[in-house]
Amino acid sequence: MIAEPPRDLIGQYGITLAEFDRILSLLRREPNELELALFGAMWSEHCCYKSSRRLLGALPKEAPQVLVRAGEENAGVVDVGEGWAIAMKIESHNHPSAVEPYQGAATGVGGIVRDVFTMGARPIALLNSLRFGFPDEPRSRYLLARVVAGIGDYGNCLGIPTVGGEVFFHDSYSGNPLVNAMCVGLLRHEDLVRSAASGEGNVLLLLGNATGRDGIHGATFASANLDGDGLDRRPNVQVGSPFLEKLLIEACLELLEKDLLVGLQDLGAAGLTSSSVEAASRAGSGVELEVTAVSRSETHMTPLEIMLSESQERMLAVVEPDRVPEVRAVLERWGLRSDAIGRVIAEPLVRVCEEGQVRAEVPVAALTDGAPAYDWPAMPGPLAGPASLPTDPLELLAHPNICSKRWVYRQYDQTVQASTVATADADAALVLLPGGRRAIALCTDGNARGDDPYLAGALAVCEAARNVSCTGARPWALTNCLNFGSPERPQGSWELRRAIHGLAAAAQALDIPVISGNVSLYNEASEGGARGAAAVAVTAVLPTPVVGMLGLLDDVERRGSIAFKAAADLVVLLGPATGPLDLGLEARVQKACRDAIGRGLLNSAHDCSDGGLLVTLAESCILGSVGATLEPELDYLDESPSRIVVSLSPERLPELRAMATGLPLTILGRVGGDRLRIPRVCDLSVEEMRDAWQHGLERFL
Amino acid sequence: MKFGIVVFPGTNCERDTAAAVEIAGGQAELVWHADDSPLQRFDGLILPGGFAHGDALRAGAIARFSAVMPRVMELAQTGRPVVGICNGFQVLVECGLLPGALLRNDSLQFRAEWVHCRVEVSAPPLTEGIPVGTLLYMPVAHGMGNYCEDERSPLGGETLVALRYCDANGDAAAAANPNGSAGNIAGIVRGNVFGLMPHPERAVSPLLGSVDGLALFKSLTRSLVAA
């Protein structure tokens, strides 16, 4: 062991002085530089959630349908009936996307796809949730265009449909865009794979890409603010190859189908370090690695660089020694490399060797359970809140935060796998389950409207569940991505805490388990903070909890859609005309909508959110190519929650009333004609509304 | 009747295509690109969509050198149908079974949307029994679908335009062209070899938005019964 105390290096590995003392007490000696780097990676917020772990305990994680709970594995898994299960997770790739938007976004998709097929699931859908500065800024337009191209090129090549998502613009995201990618996979219950590195003597096979210097320190990079230096950190960003990933998916699913693997783990943040430590930790075992056995794409790489590399498209497989030839035969057929880089050992240690010489030896538990957890002091502070929306109806429909995101989604293959029933311009996407009678509903939602982070958390859950309910599907499980500024600022800590409480309260009230998630902190940029210059001011992103929702639809023939269908149908508001969030009411409105769709009462159902009733009604008209005439004088721009606009044949109204007993229900008017007429608000043709709404974003690009 | 569905590394529509063949009453078997054994057991071949070899160099440029390709050419010479969909069309153009080239979309962006295509030829293997002028509603999803004619082998000779992008009224208008292809060309046919950019295998059920693609697969299986 190297005896030289590396205290001068600790900052480089994102370790504080207090944490260094913790390492000393865990090891009962000084770590060498490689060991320090292992701690730095494993103790980064990205890997150990040290600033959020305690808060996340508030989220409801249990439900009968949950097969793999949040935090247990790479992705959560729920039963969806008939022997099928869904694995899903959402994850951020914010910092890399701020620096190199194309590769940052592409590798974000690659990472989340690996998390899902690692579970033995075939990826069947992708979604994404994006935040940028307002598109009147050239850099925001550049980031939008490159992020969208990166997501599209990666997912399209994999043959996984991108079926939904959202894009929202606000100045707080100018220096720090948010790129959250979600993947959904389908598997049979019996095919569920664990990532544990169990069985002493089993071989660790590293599959896929060669290891280079790309992305070294990615995990610590993701856990720091973006300052002027941040933009010079392009070497911290990985480069993706969707082609290689596609081969890895097919090869790994074939290996799993042939039952050749003991465990499977993807290499994500902190590369080989976190994947081997996590796999060992889950099995209660240890691992011994030989770094010179790792195929490298660059010369003279040190053990430290090999252990921390975040080269993409790599998987770690745990294989019984006598199965290795069979495994290699499958991999060779797919043209994939496999290196036997180590083995499972009984002692619960991570031992890193270089040509047989031990370079690092650390107890697994010190790296995982030993990680610190912080309760940062929290204090409320003022929130900017989004700029208000225009009140002119056509300007409102053309506003980048309201208009159709066609410019974005037409770059994403939405129909590959031939199972997409509904996609963009729907409240939630519908993807058929095998058999073709049942479907899953999917959407992502974030809400930065509230000036209270609690509401941002609660509304993200409510809106996502409401969107799913508008298709007729029952909300079944959710995944979440928490995008916040630094928790080390009292306001940042308060925002995170409040948002998690809101999220937890809504998930509990709507009875939806949280099955996976990701926390992205330090989403801050310093203005004018070019390298060497003093930072002028730090801008944190609006508190942005994002929810990815899974719903289950039993009969896809009975599904809800946004479009008005038939002239003379009644337009009815389900839910209050206005009012604060009431979680009990929210749950009952959603249930009434689902039940009404299930009984075939409704011809359309559309969630009311940004832009209020006016936008909801206009979208139902545009997508149905039919007008509507409304009667009551209401505030049509009010954005109160718990509201759904439905249309139905007048003779079904008594049935709807019976079903919605005790719920506010307002008859708004009738479908018909080719204009949307609202007294004192608007009288517009469907075509002029369509033109404003469909081309709103393109006007900037 | 049995179709071989050729799978290259990076192909991603093989399962959808096999399912569509089966819905149309045929059988399908996947054929691996490295397999150089004869393909005579098949009544026809389909090269499905995807990103063979990650579209390295040019879409289809590497796939044409696969071990399976001489066997594909051999089968094409017997007169049995060979159909290329999207990336498969790109491979057929690269290997010379069809003339012309597929360039990057004029938008320089990937395009994924539903399009109308007008049937220009009513003949085997894919459009037999579908009257000229019929509009088919199918999705496209590609980055390189901008068809460019080869002057040495002009269309109208033995190679015919089979499908053109058009609007809902059947006009082959510029606004209805998703990729800038010459003459709004969406598909071409030379005898028994057919290439098209739209994805008929994704338009095989009302739930998916259209059954028009199924009409093409039915024509394909029907043409074999007749032969």
Side-chain angles (χ1 to χ4, degrees):
Chain A
M1 294 285 157
I2 302 162
E4 196 60 31
R7 277 181 183 266
D8 51 331
L9 285 171
I10 63 173
Q12 193 181 323
Y13 297 107
I15 300 269
T16 65
L17 272 174
E19 287 169 350
F20 186 67
D21 286 340
R22 191 182 176 90
I23 293 170
L24 292 181
S25 66
L26 282 164
L27 290 184
R28 291 194 214 98
R29 62 174 170 83
E30 291 221 348
N32 63 32
E33 185 175 353
L34 176 56
E35 289 166 339
L36 193 61
L38 300 183
F39 277 103
M42 292 308 298
W43 286 12
S44 66
E45 180 64 31
H46 199 94
C47 289
C48 81
Y49 301 107
K50 59 190 169 192
S51 298
S52 53
R53 204 161 65 215
R54 289 185 178 156
L55 301 172
L56 295 172
L59 298 175
K61 297 184 181 116
E62 305 286 351
Q65 67 266 37
V66 177
L67 301 177
V68 175
R69 294 170 68 233
E72 257 178 60
E73 291 281 347
N74 292 285
V77 181
V78 279
D79 173 34
V80 292
E82 298 179 1
W84 294 100
I86 290 288
M88 69 171 191
K89 189 179 179 184
I90 189 167
E91 198 163 70
S92 66
H93 231 215
N94 302 337
H95 285 74
S97 302
V99 175
E100 210 303 288
Y102 181 88
Q103 292 296 346
T107 55
V109 175
I112 196 66
V113 167
R114 282 195 298 283
D115 275 330
V116 165
F117 78 76
T118 298
M119 305 301 300
R122 175 167 285 281
I124 59 166
L126 290 167
L127 297 95
N128 56 75
S129 180
L130 311 178
R131 300 287 185 280
F132 301 98
F134 209 73
D136 54 356
E137 294 171 52
R139 183 161 174 87
S140 295
R141 293 198 293 273
Y142 156 77
L143 290 172
L144 169 69
R146 297 306 291 162
V147 162
V148 168
I151 289 173
D153 285 354
Y154 206 100
N156 295 343
C157 186
L158 295 183
I160 308 170
T162 298
V163 298
E166 40 158 11
V167 187
F168 185 82
F169 302 96
H170 184 268
D171 288 339
S172 74
Y173 305 109
S174 287
N176 198 128
L178 303 183
V179 176
N180 295 178
M182 171 173 166
C183 182
V184 179
L186 178 71
L187 69 158
R188 300 289 304 169
H189 282 208
E190 60 271 23
D191 294 338
L192 181 62
V193 190
R194 301 287 176 162
S195 60
S198 54
E200 187 181 354
N202 281 341
V203 177
L204 301 177
L205 275 186
L206 182 61
L207 321 180
N209 210 351
T211 298
R213 289 194 174 86
D214 43 338
I216 289 174
H217 301 318
T220 43
F221 167 51
S223 307
N225 289 339
L226 277 174
D227 50 20
D229 280 349
L231 296 179
D232 291 333
R233 297 188 76 161
R234 262 172 277 253
N236 287 126
V237 179
Q238 315 84 351
V239 176
S241 162
F243 174 58
L244 193 51
E245 177 113 336
K246 170 70 174 164
L247 301 182
L248 270 179
I249 295 175
E250 299 302 333
C252 288
L253 291 179
E254 186 178 331
L255 290 171
L256 295 170
E257 195 183 315
K258 292 181 171 163
D259 209 14
L260 291 174
L261 305 184
V262 174
L264 186 64
Q265 164 80 36
D266 75 306
L267 274 75
L272 198 47
T273 300
S274 70
S275 65
S276 57
V277 169
E278 282 170 21
S281 168
R282 283 172 187 144
S285 62
V287 289
E288 183 176 277
L289 304 173
E290 172 53 56
V291 292
T292 56
V294 174
S295 293
R296 282 145 286 170
S297 58
E298 295 179 63
T299 53
H300 305 301
M301 286 182 72
T302 63
L304 191 150
E305 288 172 324
I306 293 167
M307 289 304 293
L308 289 190
S309 163
E310 292 189 3
S311 291
Q312 296 292 291
E313 290 91 24
R314 296 181 300 163
M315 301 290 288
L316 189 68
V318 185
V319 186
E320 290 170 10
D322 55 353
R323 311 302 287 272
V324 170
E326 272 177 279
V327 169
R328 288 215 152 122
V330 170
L331 293 166
E332 273 160 30
R333 183 165 171 272
W334 288 100
L336 290 171
R337 185 195 330 264
S338 60
D339 302 327
I341 61 158
R343 59 191 183 94
V344 178
I345 57 176
E347 313 122 275
L349 297 172
V350 177
R351 187 182 294 140
V352 181
C353 304
E354 184 185 23
E355 288 175 347
Q357 301 291 308
V358 176
R359 298 295 181 211
E361 189 172 280
V362 182
V364 171
L367 293 166
T368 54
D369 305 338
Y374 297 124
D375 287 312
W376 296 102
M379 204 162 64
L383 282 170
S388 58
L389 289 166
T391 54
D392 174 80
L394 284 182
E395 275 177 45
L396 177 64
L397 288 172
H399 190 275
N401 285 340
I402 298 294
C403 70
S404 164
K405 304 304 183 289
R406 175 171 168 265
W407 185 89
V408 171
Y409 66 68
R410 70 179 177 174
Q411 298 183 54
Y412 302 149
D413 189 342
Q414 303 144 53
T415 52
V416 64
Q417 299 195 15
S419 296
T420 309
V421 175
T423 172
D425 293 334
D427 278 327
L430 288 173
V431 177
L432 291 175
L433 285 170
R437 185 178 48 79
R438 302 186 310 134
I440 51 171
L442 299 167
C443 68
T444 62
D445 265 288
N447 189 309
R449 276 184 303 161
D451 48 8
D452 179 351
Y454 178 90
L455 272 181
L459 286 173
V461 176
C462 291
E463 286 192 7
R466 208 183 309 132
N467 281 329
V468 157
S469 296
C470 284
T471 69
R474 272 168 301 160
W476 198 237
L478 72 83
T479 178
N480 70 102
C481 194
L482 303 172
N483 306 274
F484 289 82
S486 167
E488 297 171 35
R489 284 185 305 104
Q491 184 178 341
S493 174
W494 169 76
E495 289 172 359
L496 178 64
R497 184 174 300 245
R498 288 284 294 166
I500 291 173
H501 287 161
L503 214 150
Q508 216 122 41
L510 301 179
D511 198 16
I512 309 167
V514 177
I515 62 164
S516 55
N518 166 242
V519 178
S520 173
L521 304 179
Y522 304 95
N523 288 291
E524 304 189 347
S526 51
E527 287 163 24
R531 203 219 280 274
V536 175
V538 169
T539 308
V541 298
L542 289 181
T544 313
V546 170
V547 165
M549 187 70 70
L550 169 75
L552 204 49
L553 183 61
D554 287 331
D555 180 1
V556 73
E557 297 292 347
R558 292 250 166 114
R559 62 186 184 277
S561 77
I562 290 180
F564 285 147
K565 302 289 184 312
D569 272 1
L570 284 177
V571 181
V572 174
L573 171 62
L574 202 54
T578 184
L581 179 62
D582 170 343
L583 290 171
L585 177 65
E586 178 74 53
R588 285 182 293 130
V589 167
Q590 292 185 14
K591 181 169 189 312
C593 179
R594 293 194 298 268
D595 289 349
I597 291 170
R599 289 227 203 135
L601 292 188
L602 304 184
N603 286 336
S604 75
H606 189 11
D607 156 63
C608 181
S609 60
D610 292 4
L613 280 173
L614 178 58
V615 169
T616 305
L617 291 161
E619 286 175 345
S620 290
C621 287
I622 292 166
L623 293 169
S625 295
V626 62
T629 302
L630 289 305
E631 285 143 24
E633 290 191 19
L634 301 170
D635 179 357
Y636 282 85
L637 297 176
D638 183 287
E639 295 179 339
S640 297
S642 319
R643 299 186 303 164
I644 296 170
V645 171
V646 303
S647 69
L648 73 169
S649 160
E651 66 264 25
R652 311 298 298 265
L653 184 63
E655 287 171 80
L656 180 65
R657 281 197 193 281
M659 201 167 271
T661 311
L663 287 179
L665 192 149
T666 312
I667 294 174
L668 295 178
R670 278 182 191 265
V671 176
D674 56 4
R675 301 182 76 79
L676 175 62
R677 291 196 168 100
I678 307 176
R680 290 178 221 272
V681 177
C682 70
D683 183 351
L684 294 167
S685 78
V686 173
E687 286 319 305
E688 63 189 318
M689 293 195 298
R690 188 197 307 280
D691 188 56
W693 179 76
Q694 203 161 57
H695 302 293
L697 195 51
E698 282 153 56
R699 289 180 315 162
F700 286 92
L701 298 155
Chain B
M1 76 232 69
K2 194 172 203 176
F3 287 86
I5 315 276
V6 182
V7 181
F8 302 98
T11 295
N12 62 29
C13 299
E14 71 276 22
R15 273 180 294 271
D16 310 353
T17 306
V21 167
E22 280 159 15
I23 295 170
Q27 289 174 288
E29 183 185 314
L30 302 184
V31 177
W32 185 237
H33 73 113
D35 184 354
D36 62 357
S37 59
L39 299 173
Q40 305 303 328
R41 65 185 185 282
F42 295 113
D43 299 297
L45 294 177
I46 304 177
L47 280 60
F51 289 76
H53 298 279
D55 274 1
L57 291 182
R58 272 189 321 277
I62 294 178
R64 64 167 286 211
F65 294 108
S66 299
V68 77
M69 285 312 290
R71 299 303 189 178
V72 172
M73 316 279 275
E74 210 171 84
L75 196 92
Q77 272 151 25
T78 68
R80 276 174 255 187
V82 174
V83 176
I85 301 169
C86 196
N87 188 224
F89 184 13
Q90 293 161 339
V91 176
L92 292 181
V93 165
E94 285 288 334
C95 76
L97 277 176
L98 290 172
L102 289 152
L103 313 181
R104 278 200 78 182
N105 296 348
D106 61 350
S107 61
L108 302 182
Q109 287 179 347
F110 192 90
R111 272 290 171 272
E113 53 200 13
W114 284 81
V115 296
H116 294 280
C117 291
R118 192 175 70 204
V119 174
E120 304 285 310
V121 171
S122 177
L126 219 51
T127 51
E128 188 184 23
I130 305 176
V132 169
T134 304
L135 298 192
L136 304 176
Y137 188 55
M138 299 182 285
V140 291
H142 57 249
M144 299 176 78
N146 181 354
Y147 185 79
C148 177
E149 215 175 316
D150 182 347
E151 288 165 7
R152 294 164 301 177
S153 176
L155 297 175
E158 58 174 349
T159 307
L160 302 171
V161 177
L163 297 169
R164 276 187 219 277
Y165 302 112
C166 63
D167 58 25
N169 302 317
D171 280 335
N177 187 336
N179 52 38
S181 68
N184 280 31
I185 290 171
I188 59 174
V189 60
R190 175 150 81 181
N192 56 318
V193 182
F194 197 113
L196 73 165
M197 288 314 295
H199 285 279
E201 78 279 11
R202 304 182 191 177
V204 294
S205 140
L207 282 174
L208 302 180
S210 168
V211 292
D212 293 353
L214 190 56
L216 297 179
F217 283 99
K218 282 186 171 159
S219 164
L220 184 61
T221 49
R222 208 167 39 227
S223 73
L224 290 180
V225 175

